[in-house]
Amino acid sequence: VKLWASAFGGEIKSIASKYSGSQLLQKKYKEHEKSVRTEEIDGAKLVKNLAQNMEEMFRKKAEATRRLVEAAEEAHLQHEENPDLQYEYFNAVLINEVDEDGNSVELGGEFILEPNDHFNNLSVNLSLSVVQVPTNMYNKDPDIVNGVYWSEALNKVFVDNFKRDPSLIWQYFGSAKGFFRQYPGVKWHPDEHGVISFDCRNRKWYIQAATSPKDVVILVDVSGSMKGLRLTIARQTVASILDTLGDDDYFNIIAYNQDVHYVEPCLNGTLVQADSTNKDHFKEHLNKLFAKGIGLLGNALSEAFTILNEINQTGRGSLCSQAIMLVTDGATKMYDDVFAKYNLPDRKVRIFPYLIGRESAFAENLKWMACANKGYFSQISTLTDVQENVMRYLHVMSRPKVIDHEHDTVWTEAYVDSAVSINLQLGENKDPSPMTTVAMPVFSTKNETKNQGILLGVVGTDISIQELMKTIPKHKLGIHGYAFAITNNGYILTHPDLRPLYQEGQKRKKPSYSSVDLSEVEWEDKDDVLRTAMVNRRTGTFSMEVKKTVDKGKRVLTMHNDYYYTDIKGTPFSVGVALSRGHGKYFFKGNVSLEAGLHDLEQPDVALADEW
């Protein structure tokens, strides 16, 4: 009676003179019982249906990526390498640029661009792709020209994919040679220094698709001979190696002279996950390294092998590939006794020596280490040599996958690619949307190179998180109810609390908007019960008391949430639904027309939410 009284005010008083409270409610109920009933939300069924909807959406994106892989491998198979090939292509930076005489510059040319709402209102070309080449690489290098030439075949597939699935956004091919083919075509702009630092081979989607998960121990020489520029180059080399590691990798860094020093003393004898937080932490410690003493590499190698062996035996780490990265200015001997003790006959740990400096007196010993342990030798003389030389180990680590022709589909967590946003000049008022990427490796299928394990590159397709959220039926989630999804590393893919933070009136996003853990938003789950179950891709339920802000943060409510979760087939993701106990778990189900329902709601104190 109170409920009706509060809704209809004085009107009920006149009716109440004819009916008792119970009679009134009974009469009103009888009028509507044939058309409206109250039902409890079935959380388990709801999350199952949501997982199926997301699975279907992800499947379409993966199929589009697979079509790109097939087209790329076929195009490369039909192509004959020509070191003298001359080919004009649309360079992403040079399109629509003219010289002093008003003529199109080389690798430029007229390129039609039109604003498109689907692509953040950027001016794009839906018929063609463009090619971006990092500033530190030569636009007309024969390897790049040949790769650009045969990859032109992807244009047709890009367009066809977009026609089949208009919800697709960026599609691309990142070449192992360094160039980046992007669809739809869009103009890129250098930064204020005239530089485009973007290198597709540094991106998470490329690294995850190109290599398997790995355990890595980085040994860095800090003996007296490493003073000055050599130590600076060594620091940059280690930092670049860290940049190539992803969330499925594990690592540690050991500095050595006559003693063995862990760069982070708190993490002796173990490996840590290569997430953004850990990598940034170790990079800060690199600046504390200084050179002195003599370099005894044997002790450092023994320590590295011991760690990797223990990690492998205890079932921790990546449970996949293992490697030792050696950053030094030389080795006085081959240390074959150490390798014989720890790495023969299986040679499960690959060795990648990086010789720092121009001198080559001890290069032969380092080359032997690499060749005898399935690795790769590189010499780094200047800071500008660092990135290209570090990248070479990825091709070696990818060989088993390439030889076995494992076209693994990989997915990233939600992120914002700030480098691309700057180069595309989104502008201050156009925040880039978070997205996830599905990527697959592209291999050489030519008979003469099939057993060499040659990686051609990686194709990828971006999926906007906004598109993912369209699969979430908000009207079925009840008051304070919501859906969310995470990766197998516990990072959020979508969650109502994955939003910008504000500091002094300005948006302050976490770097790249990525690597936000579920525990950072569902912080009441102090024992990580919910997180652990979802990371392990289980299906089940969980309940806990939570606090939720309402009225734009002005008030806090304490409520009890029931969580329902399951995995999304074909992906490393899990999805969950949170329903508030009590009024949040019930809804009215009506068998009336929209018009009739709206007519019944035409009361002065009743409003219908716009999105419903």
Side-chain angles (χ1 to χ4, degrees):
V1 174
K2 288 180 180 178
L3 175 65
W4 282 85
S6 63
F8 295 102
E11 182 181 337
I12 197 168
K13 294 178 182 176
S14 61
I15 301 173
S17 61
K18 300 178 181 177
Y19 302 95
S20 68
S22 60
Q23 288 175 318
L24 171 65
L25 289 173
Q26 189 175 21
K27 185 175 190 303
K28 286 288 184 184
Y29 176 76
K30 288 292 184 182
E31 292 175 6
H32 294 285
E33 65 178 340
K34 294 180 181 178
S35 58
V36 179
R37 65 181 183 274
T38 304
E39 286 192 4
E40 184 174 358
I41 299 172
D42 187 337
K45 183 178 179 181
L46 183 61
V47 78
K48 180 182 178 182
N49 291 338
L50 180 55
Q52 289 173 345
N53 293 341
M54 289 185 173
E55 177 189 344
E56 177 63 17
M57 192 201 73
F58 285 131
R59 184 187 62 78
K60 289 181 179 179
K61 313 306 181 195
E63 283 182 355
T65 307
R66 187 171 292 279
R67 286 192 288 269
L68 289 172
V69 170
E70 293 170 355
E73 291 183 349
E74 179 62 24
H76 179 261
L77 180 64
Q78 302 301 328
H79 176 71
E80 291 292 333
E81 292 292 313
N82 178 6
D84 301 318
L85 178 64
Q86 300 293 315
Y87 180 64
E88 290 285 319
Y89 60 91
F90 287 115
N91 184 290
V93 179
L94 301 176
I95 54 174
N96 297 333
E97 294 288 328
V98 295
D99 58 21
E100 295 175 355
D101 299 324
N103 300 317
S104 295
V105 299
E106 199 173 23
L107 299 183
E110 184 180 355
F111 195 78
I112 299 173
L113 296 170
E114 296 178 347
N116 191 302
D117 290 340
H118 187 63
F119 295 93
N120 217 351
N121 212 32
L122 286 169
S123 294
V124 299
N125 186 313
L126 296 177
S127 301
L128 296 168
S129 60
V130 292
V131 175
Q132 177 266 339
V133 181
T135 303
N136 63 341
M137 302 184 72
Y138 179 41
N139 280 330
K140 288 198 163 187
D141 182 281
D143 286 340
I144 289 179
V145 173
N146 275 271
V148 170
Y149 180 79
W150 64 255
S151 65
E152 282 283 338
L154 294 179
N155 275 330
K156 182 180 178 182
V157 188
F158 286 143
V159 174
D160 182 55
N161 278 345
F162 190 53
K163 286 180 179 177
R164 292 188 189 204
D165 184 2
S167 68
L168 282 173
I169 45 176
W170 304 107
Q171 303 174 65
Y172 39 81
F173 168 63
S175 168
K177 302 298 182 183
F179 72 84
F180 179 66
R181 181 177 288 281
Q182 182 184 32
Y183 173 88
V186 62
K187 185 167 177 61
W188 285 51
H189 302 270
D191 62 19
E192 64 271 19
H193 305 294
V195 173
I196 289 185
S197 59
F198 177 87
D199 189 325
C200 60
R201 298 168 297 176
N202 266 341
R203 317 327 274 181
K204 276 188 177 182
W205 52 267
Y206 186 99
I207 294 166
Q208 285 181 229
T211 64
S212 302
K214 50 197 171 290
D215 300 328
V216 176
V217 176
I218 303 172
L219 302 179
V220 55
D221 186 351
V222 291
S223 61
S225 61
M226 289 288 289
K227 283 183 178 178
L229 180 60
R230 287 183 181 181
L231 187 58
T232 302
I233 295 174
R235 287 193 190 106
Q236 185 60 44
T237 301
V238 174
S240 293
I241 293 172
L242 292 181
D243 287 339
T244 66
L245 303 180
D247 296 325
D248 296 327
D249 303 321
Y250 291 80
F251 77 100
N252 206 335
I253 304 175
I254 297 175
Y256 72 92
N257 40 33
Q258 64 268 29
D259 300 311
V260 171
H261 317 272
Y262 282 85
V263 170
E264 172 48 85
C266 296
L267 296 168
N268 286 14
T270 188
L271 300 180
V272 296
Q273 187 179 16
D275 58 29
S276 299
T277 303
N278 287 335
K279 289 191 292 185
D280 289 344
H281 180 75
F282 273 81
K283 284 179 183 179
E284 290 175 7
H285 280 268
L286 290 178
N287 295 323
K288 301 175 184 177
L289 297 178
F290 57 93
K292 68 174 183 177
I294 58 174
L296 300 180
L297 176 57
N299 294 340
L301 284 171
S302 297
E303 182 73 12
F305 276 117
T306 301
I307 295 173
L308 293 173
N309 187 44
E310 289 178 357
I311 290 292
N312 207 27
Q313 288 183 349
T314 55
R316 293 177 290 146
S318 68
L319 302 177
C320 200
S321 305
Q322 293 190 321
I324 294 174
M325 309 295 195
L326 174 59
V327 183
T328 179
D329 63 347
T332 55
K333 58 180 185 176
M334 293 186 293
Y335 296 94
D336 48 343
D337 56 330
V338 178
F339 295 116
K341 178 180 178 181
Y342 291 102
N343 211 31
L344 293 180
D346 298 327
R347 298 185 295 172
K348 291 182 178 179
V349 180
R350 296 178 184 266
I351 308 296
F352 295 93
Y354 293 92
L355 178 60
I356 306 299
R358 298 183 185 279
E359 297 177 15
S360 301
F362 303 111
E364 291 305 314
N365 289 336
L366 294 175
K367 287 179 181 177
W368 178 89
M369 291 181 197
C371 294
N373 295 278
K374 298 183 179 180
Y376 193 91
F377 167 82
S378 297
Q379 184 166 2
I380 303 175
S381 303
T382 66
L383 284 169
T384 55
D385 296 337
V386 171
Q387 185 165 316
E388 197 63 30
N389 280 284
V390 166
M391 287 292 173
R392 290 176 179 168
Y393 94 87
L394 291 174
H395 301 284
V396 180
M397 296 293 279
S398 69
R399 280 178 191 161
K401 181 184 281 193
V402 180
I403 291 172
D404 292 340
H405 229 62
E406 295 177 5
H407 284 103
D408 294 333
T409 304
V410 301
W411 305 80
T412 69
E413 78 271 21
Y415 70 101
V416 170
D417 201 325
S418 55
V420 172
S421 303
I422 292 169
N423 294 139
L424 298 186
Q425 289 193 347
L426 284 177
E428 295 181 3
N429 298 321
K430 297 178 183 176
D431 275 344
S433 300
M435 59 192 174
T436 180
T437 296
V438 52
M440 295 177 68
V442 179
F443 309 136
S444 172
T445 57
K446 293 182 177 181
N447 289 330
E448 60 269 27
T449 59
K450 209 169 188 177
N451 294 327
Q452 296 177 24
I454 295 179
L455 176 74
L456 299 177
V458 173
V459 294
T461 301
D462 291 340
I463 304 164
S464 168
I465 298 302
Q466 291 178 347
E467 185 67 24
L468 178 65
M469 292 177 70
K470 291 179 182 177
T471 64
I472 300 173
K474 293 182 180 178
H475 61 286
K476 293 184 179 180
L477 297 176
I479 302 297
H480 304 305
Y482 57 90
F484 60 99
I486 67 170
T487 71
N488 58 337
N489 284 306
Y491 296 136
I492 294 171
L493 195 63
T494 179
H495 192 287
D497 286 335
L498 181 66
R499 60 185 190 270
L501 302 174
Y502 287 85
Q503 188 174 41
E504 297 176 359
Q506 299 295 318
K507 282 187 179 181
R508 181 175 61 87
K509 290 178 181 173
K510 193 164 182 175
S512 299
Y513 219 92
S514 64
S515 303
V516 180
D517 197 275
L518 182 66
S519 59
E520 294 184 50
V521 290
E522 297 290 349
W523 53 269
E524 292 95 342
D525 181 22
K526 291 181 172 58
D527 295 325
D528 283 343
V529 177
L530 175 65
R531 182 187 183 280
T532 301
M534 294 186 69
V535 164
N536 292 327
R537 301 171 58 72
R538 297 182 191 139
T539 298
T541 61
F542 173 69
S543 299
M544 66 179 175
E545 192 173 88
V546 300
K547 291 181 174 63
K548 185 169 180 68
T549 59
V550 293
D551 285 354
K552 297 181 179 179
K554 294 176 183 175
R555 293 190 295 132
V556 176
L557 295 182
T558 299
M559 58 186 69
H560 209 102
N561 275 359
D562 289 329
Y563 294 86
Y564 303 84
Y565 50 85
T566 190
D567 64 319
I568 304 173
K569 301 289 188 292
T571 75
F573 306 141
S574 290
V575 62
V577 168
L579 301 177
S580 175
R581 278 191 186 173
H583 57 275
K585 291 191 70 174
Y586 296 90
F587 67 100
F588 289 114
K589 188 166 185 178
N591 186 26
V592 294
S593 68
L594 180 62
E595 292 76 15
L598 290 172
H599 180 268
D600 287 345
L601 286 170
E602 286 180 354
Q603 302 294 337
D605 296 325
V606 178
L608 188 66
D610 291 338
E611 62 181 19
W612 294 359

